[in-house]
Amino acid sequence: MMEIKIEKAKTLKQKPDFSKLGFGKFFTDHMFVMQYNDKEGWHDAKIVPFDYIPIHPASTVLHYGAEIFEGMKAYRTDDGYQMFRPIENIKRMNDSAERLCLPTLDEEFTLKALETLITLEYDWIPNLPGTSLYIRPFMFGNDESLGVHAVHNATFVIILSPVGSYYAEGINPVKISIESEDVRAVRGGTGYAKCGGNYAASLRAGKRAEAKGFTQVLWLDGVERKYIEEVGAMNVMFKIDGEIATPELTGSVLPGITRKSCLEILKEWGYKVSERLISVDELLTAAENGKLEEAWGTGTAAVVSPIGHLFYKDVDHVVSNNQIGELTQKLYDELTGIQWGKKPDVRGWCYKVKV
Ligand code: PLP
Ligand code: COI
């Protein structure tokens, strides 16, 4: 396996107050960087002091958005730390790479890179309830030429950020606006890939929603604008008349690892779970008839986030009295229990490292 060179920072940064982390504002002392070109493949893997990345002004990423990323977390345990289903993230990154014509990664090597970097930065893994070390691997195409082609050069980087909760609301219900104008992705496009362009396309609707007091936007499908897809940084699930429904993976929705894990847990708990098309009419009719019992989002950053309001075309629908629902809470407790190493990991989801 390729060697990872380590150049340690001469001075270490002052760590932030772990009780006031927010999301993605602080970065650790080091980062992992590796280069690709067609001739050599992936090479020059190293851990270096966290710093700016020099970039050619004609680099593909700056003009044509050739960029993909992942989001995962490391949780501090009594004798080290653990990552939640890291191989799933690496596999998804390779699916994104395939879609964007970027080079794929070796799974075992990428896991080794993650482990080497996180172990070096162990002191940065926060120890307070609800905190973790957010891991952001990303890759960009950087041919130094303006032609529009699949790239021949790429850079892969991993940065780490100690985080608290993603939403200012914490575990309190978020207010979601169902977007009726802009669309995020279409089938055949890049919706299922975790690429920067999807997020760029979502910013305008997000800004409008925020100005009206909403936390995030819930996207509808890009063709009929009829079926529920997902929220800006999380997948969604609904408890309708005792059953769990979540949008099926049609190609324009990100296949969330938290989504997949929650569906497995819910099925084990005996719930009827369906992955299917859910129209906005069906959802809001259920809300009006009192059949929409709970709604929540799932994601690495968002964990399990209750949804308290669904706003669509000037009408506000309150869900679960704007309280966290019973099942949402139970799912949050189960998932975070496993991730934080407080509940038995019977499914073998955690990758444990002793430090
Ligand atoms: N959907 C979008 C658009 C996301 O950005 C995320 C976050 O990664 C998710 C869903 C949830 O995916 P995961 O559970 O793998 O973090
Ligand atoms: C994540 O949940 O890891 C995400 O990537 C969401 C977001 C911050 C874009």
Side-chain angles (χ1 to χ4, degrees), residues 191-242:
Y192 71 89
K194 207 161 163 60
C195 62
N198 291 342
Y199 297 80
S202 78
L203 298 178
R204 183 172 73 172
K207 183 178 169 191
R208 284 195 296 241
E210 265 175 44
K212 291 189 191 153
F214 297 100
T215 320
Q216 273 193 341
V217 159
L218 175 56
W219 299 103
L220 298 180
D221 77 278
V223 178
E224 295 183 71
R225 299 189 198 189
K226 180 175 171 189
Y227 298 105
I228 303 288
E229 298 234 300
E230 64 183 321
V231 173
M234 54 190 195
N235 296 107
V236 281
M237 295 184 185
F238 307 102
K239 182 160 175 257
I240 304 174
D241 210 10

Side-chain angles (χ1 to χ4, degrees), residues 237-253:
M237 295 184 185
F238 307 102
K239 182 160 175 257
I240 304 174
D241 210 10
E243 293 181 14
I244 313 301
T246 192
E248 69 181 76
L249 301 176
T250 51
S252 46
V253 175

Side-chain angles (χ1 to χ4, degrees), residues 167-175 215 304-308 322-324:
Y167 297 122
E169 289 89 338
I171 180 72
N172 295 317
V174 291
K175 281 175 112 172
T215 320
V304 172
S305 278
I307 297 173
N322 195 33
Q323 306 286 315
I324 180 163

Side-chain angles (χ1 to χ4, degrees), residues 23 69-72 92 134 136 166 194 199 232-234 299-302:
F23 183 83
F69 67 97
E70 268 305 321
M72 50 213 288
R92 185 171 66 189
Y134 186 74
R136 172 55 63 87
Y166 183 65
K194 207 161 163 60
Y199 297 80
M234 54 190 195
T300 300

